[in-house]
Amino acid sequence: MAQFPIAMTPRPERARSFALLSPLIALLLTVLTGFILFAALGQDPWRALSIFFIAPLDSLRGWTEVGVKMTPLLLCAVGLVVCFKSNIWNIGAEGQLVVGAITGGIAALACDPSFGKWYVVVVMLASAAGGAVWGGITALLRHKFHANEILVSLMLVYVAQLLLAWCVQGPMRDPQGFGFPQTALFESGALLPVLSGTRLHLGALLALISAVGIWLLMDRMALGFQFKVSGMAPLAARYAGYHPGKLIWASMLISGALAGLAGGIEASGPLGQLTPNISPGYGFAAIIVAFVGRLSPLGCIPAAFVMALFYLGGELAQSRLGLPSSITGVYQGLLLFFILACDTMILYRLSWRGFSSARTKEGN
């Protein structure tokens, strides 16, 4: 039986240099594969890559738009870092974002024109609370009934999306909106302040503060240490007196609150109302951001920048090159594939063993 000439052999220890270079190598391979993909689609690959990666950053408006798209990605990703470090596989940040947008939207629609700018704080708190409650459902089912959090959190995404569709087509629909499935525009007191002449809003600053805050939690506080120990060595965590149930609740509530805050920021920031498509998949893309960022809250900042660039580049590729909207998802998938492949090389190395055949001889 012929054997494959390339073998994967375990390394005696982790390749630390490769662990640092893995995201950069994965990004380079993604760009190279994109070059080949554009050529296969009949496009000038150099022009296509320029439109995808450079054109979004050729003006101040482009940079601010990257900041707008970075915001929900970063908030969801740093929350997922807490869960993943705790070995809690929360795949439902998208649903928590959507529910946060709903609860924040309910609070925003209650805003009276006489209310001041401070009311947006109420909207943000309502959004975070909604996301935390939705994340708490997964924590409850995992803790009390040992349900698989991957399946539960993922299925709750679709429940949240259907709930949003019902809200904007039913009780929350704008009576003066000509039947469109959307709410009325929010009052100014429920809107986030924006940078003059752009769509960049205060939520971008909140996302950066959240990333720094989660970094301090995970690297400088006892609770963060408990999260890490519980994720790496659950038995050791039990012997140390940590309570796994409490850590499950804490990680899911933190992650859900940040994702919910992202939903509230989307509603009160660039949109100013609720629509059925409040998110193009930020919660799912944030999973890639978390891994590209090496499960580091601060590492998620440049990773979120790259992912936001993918979204803007995909939009420009649609308008200028006539490519389908799925091009953004293709790039996201390629980046995830290559980051996982490169991470495998941290623990294994490729070795050439040549072509050989193994024959069994009867009677020997």
Side-chain angles (χ1 to χ4, degrees):
M1 181 179 178
Q3 292 183 344
F4 195 70
I6 300 176
M8 294 183 64
T9 57
R11 295 181 185 271
E13 60 182 12
R14 289 172 57 90
R16 295 183 179 180
S17 59
F18 207 96
L20 295 174
L21 294 175
S22 177
L24 296 177
I25 297 173
L27 181 59
L28 181 62
L29 290 173
T30 300
V31 174
L32 179 61
T33 306
F35 182 93
I36 298 172
L37 178 63
F38 283 132
L41 292 173
Q43 302 288 340
D44 178 358
W46 292 109
R47 177 171 179 264
L49 286 178
S50 175
I51 290 174
F52 202 92
F53 290 104
I54 300 176
L57 304 177
D58 62 1
S59 65
L60 176 62
R61 180 179 179 277
W63 282 93
T64 57
E65 285 298 310
V66 170
V68 170
K69 293 192 179 295
M70 270 186 66
T71 299
L73 289 167
L74 183 56
L75 282 167
C76 291
V78 296
L80 290 176
V81 166
V82 177
C83 285
F84 295 163
K85 282 286 191 178
S86 308
N87 202 26
I88 305 297
W89 295 97
N90 175 20
I91 309 298
E94 179 76 1
Q96 293 144 28
L97 181 153
V98 169
V99 172
I102 294 173
T103 55
I106 293 173
L109 291 173
C111 180
D112 187 89
S114 63
F115 293 169
K117 290 290 186 181
W118 59 268
Y119 189 81
V120 73
V121 177
V122 176
V123 177
M124 295 299 102
L125 292 175
S127 301
V133 169
W134 208 247
I137 297 175
T138 300
L140 175 66
L141 295 176
R142 163 69 190 270
H143 182 211
K144 294 297 184 182
F145 303 100
H146 305 288
N148 186 301
E149 72 274 13
I150 296 176
L151 294 177
V152 172
S153 59
L154 181 60
M155 292 301 101
L156 284 173
V157 171
Y158 303 106
V159 176
Q161 290 173 339
L162 291 172
L163 179 61
L164 174 61
W166 173 75
C167 287
V168 297
Q169 295 179 37
M172 296 175 66
R173 183 165 63 180
D174 183 6
Q176 300 178 351
F178 303 100
F180 287 99
Q182 60 190 27
T183 67
L185 293 174
F186 299 161
E187 296 289 344
S188 60
L191 298 176
L192 287 166
V194 298
L195 184 65
S196 179
T198 71
R199 295 202 311 156
L200 187 63
H201 48 73
L202 185 62
L205 179 60
L206 293 177
L208 293 175
I209 293 174
S210 297
V212 175
I214 295 298
W215 172 74
L216 291 173
L217 169 68
M218 298 301 293
D219 285 22
R220 297 292 186 270
M221 297 184 183
L223 179 59
F225 180 75
Q226 293 181 29
F227 284 141
K228 292 179 180 179
V229 173
S230 179
M232 291 187 296
L235 290 178
R238 288 179 181 272
Y239 282 122
Y242 303 157
H243 300 283
K246 293 182 179 179
L247 294 177
I248 291 171
W249 276 98
S251 61
M252 284 302 305
L253 290 177
I254 292 172
S255 182
L258 288 172
L261 180 61
I265 286 174
E266 277 298 287
S268 293
L271 297 180
Q273 63 180 159
L274 284 184
T275 67
N277 302 314
I278 192 74
S279 167
Y282 290 136
F284 292 123
I287 299 172
I288 305 176
V289 171
F291 280 103
V292 173
R294 320 312 296 150
L295 295 183
S296 165
L298 298 183
C300 287
I301 297 175
F305 177 87
V306 171
M307 192 62 63
L309 191 60
F310 282 3
Y311 276 108
L312 285 177
E315 293 174 0
L316 289 180
Q318 292 177 62
S319 61
R320 299 186 185 181
L321 301 176
L323 294 178
S325 59
S326 56
I327 191 69
T328 299
V330 169
Y331 263 91
Q332 292 176 353
L334 286 172
L335 183 59
L336 178 60
F337 172 79
F338 285 124
I339 194 68
L340 294 176
C342 291
D343 282 355
T344 303
M345 296 297 100
I346 298 173
L347 300 176
Y348 295 87
R349 64 161 57 95
L350 297 178
S351 59
W352 176 262
R353 61 185 177 187
F355 290 95
S356 62
S357 62
R359 298 179 179 177
T360 59
K361 298 181 179 180
E362 296 182 359
N364 293 341

